[in-house]
Amino acid sequence: MWTLKDFFEGPSICRTYFGIRPQNIAIFVGSIAGAALVATAIYWGVFGFGQWKKEVTVAGRIMTAAAVAPMQGAGQQMGQQSGQYVCPVHGAVGLPRFNAAGVPVCPLGGEVMQFVRCVTAPGATPAAFAGG
């Protein structure tokens, strides 16, 4: 259980462990928060609060679109090819929902999604893992 003594020893432990003064960490975190607030205020000034709210809602839907349901029926449609489902309106929004006919539809708008296959060259290695 934390005590008042532990609270006041925390900054010295932080400095000993990380080698950074707690005031410098507070300034860094404060500058990040300040930059986010200033950028948001500028966006509101240029585009308006309503547009910002709409963009945040769409971003939230895109972030959670891949977690709506497990991919069903993908094995028969994709075979052994790698690729990605893409909505013609919203782009790559995550995993599609499959309707009763087994057609992949966009989780945001209900448009029919297309499966785009990745073209890979035989023997190619990703640049991040290539020997150097």
Side-chain angles (χ1 to χ4, degrees):
M1 179 168 208
W2 282 76
T3 63
L4 191 58
K5 179 184 169 193
D6 293 332
F7 179 76
F8 287 111
E9 285 183 358
S12 65
I13 292 171
C14 180
R15 183 173 179 153
T16 303
Y17 187 74
F18 293 112
I20 301 172
R21 291 179 25 207
Q23 292 85 355
N24 292 346
I25 295 173
I27 290 170
F28 179 71
V29 170
S31 64
I32 290 173
L37 289 174
V38 168
T40 303
I42 291 171
Y43 189 92
W44 286 350
V46 173
F47 298 107
F49 181 75
Q51 177 67 22
W52 176 81
K53 188 174 178 182
K54 186 174 103 176
E55 293 292 333
V56 168
T57 302
V58 170
R61 288 179 183 162
I62 289 172
M63 292 294 290
T64 59
V68 292
M71 189 173 255
Q72 302 163 350
Q76 299 93 11
Q77 295 174 359
M78 290 189 299
Q80 297 299 319
Q81 295 287 327
S82 62
Q84 177 177 12
Y85 281 102
V86 179
C87 174
V89 177
H90 301 105
V93 294
L95 294 175
R97 294 183 179 153
F98 290 89
N99 63 14
V103 176
V105 294
C106 178
L108 299 179
E111 295 85 5
V112 175
M113 297 181 78
Q114 296 129 7
F115 185 75
V116 179
R117 288 182 169 79
C118 297
V119 178
T120 57
T125 56
F129 303 111

PDB file of all heavy atoms in Angstrom, residues 26-39:
ATOM      1  N   ALA A  26       7.658  16.022 -16.944  1.00  0.00           N
ATOM      2  CA  ALA A  26       6.413  16.799 -16.892  1.00  0.00           C
ATOM      3  C   ALA A  26       6.371  17.836 -18.011  1.00  0.00           C
ATOM      4  O   ALA A  26       5.326  18.041 -18.639  1.00  0.00           O
ATOM      5  CB  ALA A  26       6.270  17.476 -15.533  1.00  0.00           C
ATOM      6  N   ILE A  27       7.491  18.478 -18.296  1.00  0.00           N
ATOM      7  CA  ILE A  27       7.532  19.457 -19.394  1.00  0.00           C
ATOM      8  C   ILE A  27       7.293  18.773 -20.730  1.00  0.00           C
ATOM      9  O   ILE A  27       6.551  19.275 -21.583  1.00  0.00           O
ATOM     10  CB  ILE A  27       8.884  20.202 -19.388  1.00  0.00           C
ATOM     11  CG1 ILE A  27       8.963  21.122 -18.171  1.00  0.00           C
ATOM     12  CG2 ILE A  27       9.082  21.002 -20.673  1.00  0.00           C
ATOM     13  CD1 ILE A  27      10.336  21.712 -17.937  1.00  0.00           C
ATOM     14  N   PHE A  28       7.884  17.608 -20.938  1.00  0.00           N
ATOM     15  CA  PHE A  28       7.705  16.862 -22.178  1.00  0.00           C
ATOM     16  C   PHE A  28       6.243  16.460 -22.381  1.00  0.00           C
ATOM     17  O   PHE A  28       5.661  16.686 -23.447  1.00  0.00           O
ATOM     18  CB  PHE A  28       8.605  15.626 -22.171  1.00  0.00           C
ATOM     19  CG  PHE A  28       8.485  14.774 -23.396  1.00  0.00           C
ATOM     20  CD1 PHE A  28       8.987  15.200 -24.608  1.00  0.00           C
ATOM     21  CD2 PHE A  28       7.859  13.537 -23.331  1.00  0.00           C
ATOM     22  CE1 PHE A  28       8.874  14.422 -25.740  1.00  0.00           C
ATOM     23  CE2 PHE A  28       7.735  12.745 -24.451  1.00  0.00           C
ATOM     24  CZ  PHE A  28       8.253  13.184 -25.665  1.00  0.00           C
ATOM     25  N   VAL A  29       5.640  15.878 -21.346  1.00  0.00           N
ATOM     26  CA  VAL A  29       4.240  15.455 -21.439  1.00  0.00           C
ATOM     27  C   VAL A  29       3.331  16.672 -21.639  1.00  0.00           C
ATOM     28  O   VAL A  29       2.384  16.640 -22.436  1.00  0.00           O
ATOM     29  CB  VAL A  29       3.842  14.639 -20.188  1.00  0.00           C
ATOM     30  CG1 VAL A  29       2.343  14.397 -20.141  1.00  0.00           C
ATOM     31  CG2 VAL A  29       4.591  13.320 -20.159  1.00  0.00           C
ATOM     32  N   GLY A  30       3.625  17.763 -20.927  1.00  0.00           N
ATOM     33  CA  GLY A  30       2.829  18.980 -21.085  1.00  0.00           C
ATOM     34  C   GLY A  30       2.936  19.571 -22.476  1.00  0.00           C
ATOM     35  O   GLY A  30       1.949  20.067 -23.033  1.00  0.00           O
ATOM     36  N   SER A  31       4.130  19.506 -23.070  1.00  0.00           N
ATOM     37  CA  SER A  31       4.275  20.045 -24.425  1.00  0.00           C
ATOM     38  C   SER A  31       3.530  19.199 -25.447  1.00  0.00           C
ATOM     39  O   SER A  31       2.964  19.726 -26.410  1.00  0.00           O
ATOM     40  CB  SER A  31       5.751  20.167 -24.794  1.00  0.00           C
ATOM     41  OG  SER A  31       6.357  18.902 -24.833  1.00  0.00           O
ATOM     42  N   ILE A  32       3.502  17.883 -25.246  1.00  0.00           N
ATOM     43  CA  ILE A  32       2.729  17.021 -26.148  1.00  0.00           C
ATOM     44  C   ILE A  32       1.235  17.337 -26.028  1.00  0.00           C
ATOM     45  O   ILE A  32       0.529  17.472 -27.027  1.00  0.00           O
ATOM     46  CB  ILE A  32       3.010  15.538 -25.856  1.00  0.00           C
ATOM     47  CG1 ILE A  32       4.422  15.184 -26.283  1.00  0.00           C
ATOM     48  CG2 ILE A  32       2.006  14.637 -26.564  1.00  0.00           C
ATOM     49  CD1 ILE A  32       4.851  13.791 -25.898  1.00  0.00           C
ATOM     50  N   ALA A  33       0.751  17.454 -24.802  1.00  0.00           N
ATOM     51  CA  ALA A  33      -0.670  17.774 -24.592  1.00  0.00           C
ATOM     52  C   ALA A  33      -0.994  19.157 -25.153  1.00  0.00           C
ATOM     53  O   ALA A  33      -2.046  19.352 -25.786  1.00  0.00           O
ATOM     54  CB  ALA A  33      -1.007  17.700 -23.107  1.00  0.00           C
ATOM     55  N   GLY A  34      -0.103  20.111 -24.952  1.00  0.00           N
ATOM     56  CA  GLY A  34      -0.328  21.460 -25.486  1.00  0.00           C
ATOM     57  C   GLY A  34      -0.364  21.478 -26.998  1.00  0.00           C
ATOM     58  O   GLY A  34      -1.200  22.157 -27.605  1.00  0.00           O
ATOM     59  N   ALA A  35       0.540  20.718 -27.638  1.00  0.00           N
ATOM     60  CA  ALA A  35       0.539  20.657 -29.103  1.00  0.00           C
ATOM     61  C   ALA A  35      -0.752  20.030 -29.622  1.00  0.00           C
ATOM     62  O   ALA A  35      -1.314  20.490 -30.626  1.00  0.00           O
ATOM     63  CB  ALA A  35       1.748  19.855 -29.589  1.00  0.00           C
ATOM     64  N   ALA A  36      -1.242  19.004 -28.942  1.00  0.00           N
ATOM     65  CA  ALA A  36      -2.500  18.381 -29.352  1.00  0.00           C
ATOM     66  C   ALA A  36      -3.668  19.355 -29.210  1.00  0.00           C
ATOM     67  O   ALA A  36      -4.540  19.430 -30.080  1.00  0.00           O
ATOM     68  CB  ALA A  36      -2.754  17.116 -28.533  1.00  0.00           C
ATOM     69  N   LEU A  37      -3.687  20.113 -28.124  1.00  0.00           N
ATOM     70  CA  LEU A  37      -4.762  21.100 -27.929  1.00  0.00           C
ATOM     71  C   LEU A  37      -4.706  22.208 -28.972  1.00  0.00           C
ATOM     72  O   LEU A  37      -5.741  22.616 -29.512  1.00  0.00           O
ATOM     73  CB  LEU A  37      -4.682  21.687 -26.519  1.00  0.00           C
ATOM     74  CG  LEU A  37      -5.073  20.745 -25.382  1.00  0.00           C
ATOM     75  CD1 LEU A  37      -4.806  21.402 -24.028  1.00  0.00           C
ATOM     76  CD2 LEU A  37      -6.532  20.350 -25.502  1.00  0.00           C
ATOM     77  N   VAL A  38      -3.509  22.703 -29.261  1.00  0.00           N
ATOM     78  CA  VAL A  38      -3.374  23.770 -30.258  1.00  0.00           C
ATOM     79  C   VAL A  38      -3.782  23.266 -31.638  1.00  0.00           C
ATOM     80  O   VAL A  38      -4.510  23.949 -32.373  1.00  0.00           O
ATOM     81  CB  VAL A  38      -1.929  24.321 -30.263  1.00  0.00           C
ATOM     82  CG1 VAL A  38      -1.689  25.211 -31.468  1.00  0.00           C
ATOM     83  CG2 VAL A  38      -1.655  25.079 -28.980  1.00  0.00           C
ATOM     84  N   ALA A  39      -3.342  22.053 -32.004  1.00  0.00           N
ATOM     85  CA  ALA A  39      -3.708  21.504 -33.311  1.00  0.00           C
ATOM     86  C   ALA A  39      -5.218  21.294 -33.416  1.00  0.00           C
ATOM     87  O   ALA A  39      -5.824  21.586 -34.454  1.00  0.00           O
ATOM     88  CB  ALA A  39      -2.976  20.186 -33.545  1.00  0.00           C
TER      89      ALA A  39
END
